[in-house]
Amino acid sequence: MHELTKAPPPRRPDLHVATEGEFVGWRTWIRDSFEAHVGPFWHRIEADGNVRSAFRVEKKHLNGSGNVHGGCYMAFADYSLFAIATHVLDSRAVTTNFACEFLDAAREGELIECTGEVTRAGGSLIFLRGKMTSGERVLLTFSGTIKRMKRKALPQPNA
């Protein structure tokens, strides 16, 4: 077992676990109103410690050609960056770099999944890469960098 999977991630009040439906037992974050609007996106930690993200394509995810909109792919891949970083991310963070290659289209009803890996986790930057699939088809490959955010001190009155 990977050493990062020995301890569960810290308890987060913004983490929701599905109790019904297709994604029972999967997790999602409820603090991001954009992701809630375009999702829902889900993730879980597999038995081997790897993280898998997923969502079921609905009509709202489609572009005018009836394929999943590229912006939806990118939003889901960005969500997946943070899910993949679960084992090394213990505070707030932001995406500082994101690159992707669109490889295939997906349609309404398909289950889209992401897997990936942390390629390096330094003091403030986490580098990741991933792959989005539907069944055996690779839809998108991506890489990104996440920056850990330091907590800002509250301004002092009359300072």
Side-chain angles (χ1 to χ4, degrees), residues 88-144:
V88 296
L89 191 57
D90 55 1
S91 62
R92 295 185 65 155
V94 296
T95 305
T96 61
N97 185 48
F98 179 84
C100 65
E101 295 78 35
F102 296 93
L103 302 173
D104 203 351
R107 311 280 292 187
E108 187 172 357
E110 290 188 60
L111 177 67
I112 297 184
E113 299 179 287
C114 274
T115 57
E117 66 179 331
V118 173
T119 57
R120 181 180 174 123
S124 65
L125 297 176
I126 303 168
F127 300 87
L128 307 103
R129 65 179 165 209
K131 177 172 62 171
M132 185 182 302
T133 59
S134 178
E136 298 297 316
R137 293 181 4 259
V138 178
L139 305 174
L140 181 96
T141 57
F142 60 95
S143 62

Side-chain angles (χ1 to χ4, degrees), residues 56-68:
R56 179 71 63 185
V57 178
E58 300 174 26
K59 186 175 179 93
K60 70 178 182 177
H61 300 123
L62 305 179
N63 63 20
S65 298
N67 298 315
V68 175

Side-chain angles (χ1 to χ4, degrees), residues 144-156:
T145 307
I146 296 173
K147 179 173 179 48
R148 293 181 173 107
M149 301 298 294
K150 294 180 181 175
R151 294 203 181 266
K152 293 182 180 180
L154 295 174
Q156 298 297 318

Side-chain angles (χ1 to χ4, degrees), residues 16-61:
H16 170 75
V17 179
T19 58
E20 58 186 29
E22 177 179 12
F23 293 100
V24 169
W26 290 63
R27 306 166 182 195
T28 192
W29 294 291
I30 57 175
R31 74 177 177 274
D32 192 310
S33 59
F34 179 79
E35 286 174 357
H37 179 71
V38 298
F41 301 141
W42 300 93
H43 66 280
R44 71 178 179 196
I45 300 171
E46 304 282 11
D48 63 3
N50 290 318
V51 176
R52 178 175 303 277
S53 304
F55 79 101
R56 179 71 63 185
V57 178
E58 300 174 26
K59 186 175 179 93
K60 70 178 182 177
H61 300 123

Side-chain angles (χ1 to χ4, degrees), residues 66-83:
N67 298 315
V68 175
H69 192 285
C72 181
Y73 272 7
M74 294 169 65
F76 178 54
D78 185 63
Y79 172 93
S80 297
L81 286 175
F82 287 82

